[in-house]
Amino acid sequence: MTESDGYTSPDNDERGLGWMDNKKASLPYILGNSWKEIERRKTQHVIFQYALGRASAGAWAMDIAGLYPNCIVDGIDVPQYKFNKDDVPNNCNFTTCTITEPLPFEDSTFDYVFIRHMGLAVKAENWPAFLIELKRVMKPGGYLEWMDTDGAFHGGPEVTKFMSDVVGAIGKNGYDIRLARHNHRMVATAGFSDVAHNVFSIPIGSLWNEVIGRAFSNDFHQGLQSLRNYILLTLNISTEEYDRRLTTVVHEWNHVLKAFANHRIVVSRKALYNIDIDDPK
């Protein structure tokens, strides 16, 4: 994994779609926890797994538990998260908790922590304390992997304007969905070491002529539909206006101009030793 501060597009890779290089390689949740939303996240899991060998957090926990039956995998999730208990391996446990409070685990419990797309679950003001809490439950030398998005999609004028309005509306309510712009600096500030990070692009829409672009078009369309009622309250527009603009956006990224969204994967480590340089001992 290489360090990169720049932002990119799948078109920038001379070998083709750069994102494919990584293949094989009680707080409210704004999107809700309806069965439709749960199914969307399951589908998103499959898409990321295909494109990057990565998955959404809950599905990731179950997959890792299945791949490594001698490991114990613990997941945390928001209240009322729905999943089929028959899908959960015996070595995988889920705990429902409020992440603004101390996590229900002892110090130095985990060798590896994975988080993804948490911008709609953790308010911006709570991120510093949350990262410190993650570090507390990690073993010395343990690793944190964090993948998140820059929520402002890149594409034609309709896509750019609509997503700017969505990002602004969510930001007014205290959430940051552009974490990919600075999550590598956030972990360094929280005291993690050996920070490595990489920016990659997710293509959106049929114009890419790839199954991933079409799949993410459907995924983001459904996600933005789930956000509708939440966004309406902030933008002060009608349901009809929101739906009209969203239809225009989807048409643009499928038929007019290519669109893409940038993500950043950060891998960092908890120091092996906690040395206080002011303590002579």
Side-chain angles (χ1 to χ4, degrees), residues 141-156:
Y143 286 90
L144 169 67
E145 178 181 352
W146 178 8
M147 185 172 94
D148 231 303
T149 180
D150 173 8
F153 298 173
H154 304 265

Side-chain angles (χ1 to χ4, degrees), residues 1 96 104 113 119 121 134 141 152 165 178 201 222 231-232 234 238 246:
M1 190 166 292
T96 298
V113 172
L134 290 180
D165 288 345
R178 305 199 69 178
S201 296
Q222 292 179 30
I231 298 297
L232 291 179
T234 304
S238 67
L246 180 55

Side-chain angles (χ1 to χ4, degrees), residues 27 100 119 122-131 171 173-176 179 186:
L27 281 178
T100 52
V122 181
K123 286 201 168 184
E125 64 184 14
N126 294 325
W127 269 107
F130 181 55
L131 290 173
N173 289 281
Y175 294 92
D176 179 7
L179 289 166
M186 292 168 68

Side-chain angles (χ1 to χ4, degrees), residues 50-72:
Y50 176 80
L52 303 169
R54 290 174 171 82
S56 61
W60 182 92
M62 290 186 280
D63 279 357
I64 290 297
L67 287 170
Y68 300 97
N70 294 325
C71 294
I72 302 299

Side-chain angles (χ1 to χ4, degrees), residues 192-212:
F192 288 88
S193 62
D194 299 333
V195 180
H197 54 101
N198 186 42
V199 175
F200 65 95
S201 296
I202 291 293
I204 306 169
S206 302
L207 291 174
W208 293 101
N209 197 30
E210 291 283 346
V211 64
I212 294 297

Side-chain angles (χ1 to χ4, degrees), residues 66 78 84 124 126 133 136 145 202 213 236 252 259 264 270:
V78 294
N84 187 343
N126 294 325
E133 185 63 7
R136 177 187 69 79
E145 178 181 352
I202 291 293
N236 194 28
E252 184 177 76
R264 188 189 300 270
K270 179 178 177 177

